[in-house]
Amino acid sequence: MTGFIDGLLNVSPLVAYIAVFCLVFAEDALFVGFVIPGETAAVLGGVVASRGEVQLGTMMALVVCAAVIGDSVGYEVGKHLGGRLMKTRLLARHSGRLENAQDFLRRRGGSAVFLGRFTAFFRAVMPALAGTSRMPYGRFIAYNAAGGVAWGIGFVLLGFLAGNSYETVAQAVGRDLAVVIALVAVAALVAWHVRSRRRQQRRRPASQGRDKGPYS
């Protein structure tokens, strides 16, 4: 793993863009996350940007796109392959964790898709489980995109701010830092919902008043 990290940090900008995109995409679409966590690739993308070798904004956009597109492919794989996918040797080893993920999805619905983005195992299997359970794609993509944006921007920024201290950061990624970023993202999502409800409540009295007839 150390050789891989050092190699990624010393390649041309184009290769860095392609490598980070492919790793983040493959984690969700092809379960490569069991071997190489996509969050590590996202952090390293930020580290490369901190060295001035790639554009920070471009790297963020690529990571977010790779996360969202990869999840969508994973959703389609789960939708069309269903139970056969869960019986493969790779996933059969993790049957207990898969049951926990399925239970989490049943209880939380779209929120499980969003929150699953911040846990390595859930990030790799949640899109396929959502497809297998026939979650409406519109609902899935809304939470998937929100999670991809929060996760992608958060971890690339983390690598950018860490700079050459990426090894310390990489050891913490997936534990405490992932929890912090998830909590911030959830807080932002809750605040958005609260504001939307307040706006709807303010509009209702006005519309009800207009609906009343002249003799009411």
Side-chain angles (χ1 to χ4, degrees), residues 5-11 13 43-56 159-167:
I5 292 174
D6 291 339
L8 185 59
L9 294 176
N10 293 283
V11 296
V43 169
L44 291 176
V47 174
V48 175
S50 74
R51 298 180 174 185
E53 297 173 13
V54 298
Q55 295 294 320
L56 177 62
F160 182 82
L161 296 175
N164 291 328
S165 302
Y166 70 89
E167 291 182 355

Side-chain angles (χ1 to χ4, degrees), residues 66-211:
V68 174
I69 296 172
D71 276 357
S72 294
V73 172
Y75 174 92
E76 292 297 328
V77 169
K79 181 179 179 180
H80 294 288
L81 296 181
R84 286 180 294 174
L85 182 67
M86 302 306 158
K87 294 177 182 178
T88 59
R89 184 178 301 177
L90 175 64
L91 295 181
R93 301 174 186 172
H94 304 278
S95 57
R97 298 169 73 184
L98 276 173
E99 289 177 4
N100 291 336
Q102 289 173 320
D103 180 62
F104 185 42
L105 184 62
R106 281 192 295 268
R107 288 186 292 105
R108 297 295 183 179
S111 298
V113 175
F114 177 87
L115 294 172
R117 164 58 56 184
F118 299 92
T119 303
F121 181 79
F122 283 6
R123 185 167 56 250
V125 302
M126 193 62 74
L129 292 178
T132 302
S133 67
R134 294 298 192 272
M135 175 184 287
Y137 183 72
R139 182 175 179 80
F140 169 80
I141 193 62
Y143 284 93
N144 170 35
V149 169
W151 177 86
I153 292 176
F155 278 101
V156 173
L157 270 179
L158 188 63
F160 182 82
L161 296 175
N164 291 328
S165 302
Y166 70 89
E167 291 182 355
T168 302
V169 173
Q171 291 175 359
V173 163
R175 301 197 305 269
D176 301 335
L177 290 173
V179 171
V180 171
I181 292 177
L183 289 175
V184 172
V186 170
L189 188 64
V190 170
W192 178 78
H193 276 295
V194 170
R195 289 178 181 176
S196 297
R197 283 197 169 186
R198 287 179 179 175
R199 282 196 293 266
Q200 291 175 356
Q201 290 173 353
R202 289 172 186 170
R203 292 170 184 169
R204 283 175 187 169
S207 61
Q208 290 172 356
R210 287 194 297 269
D211 292 340

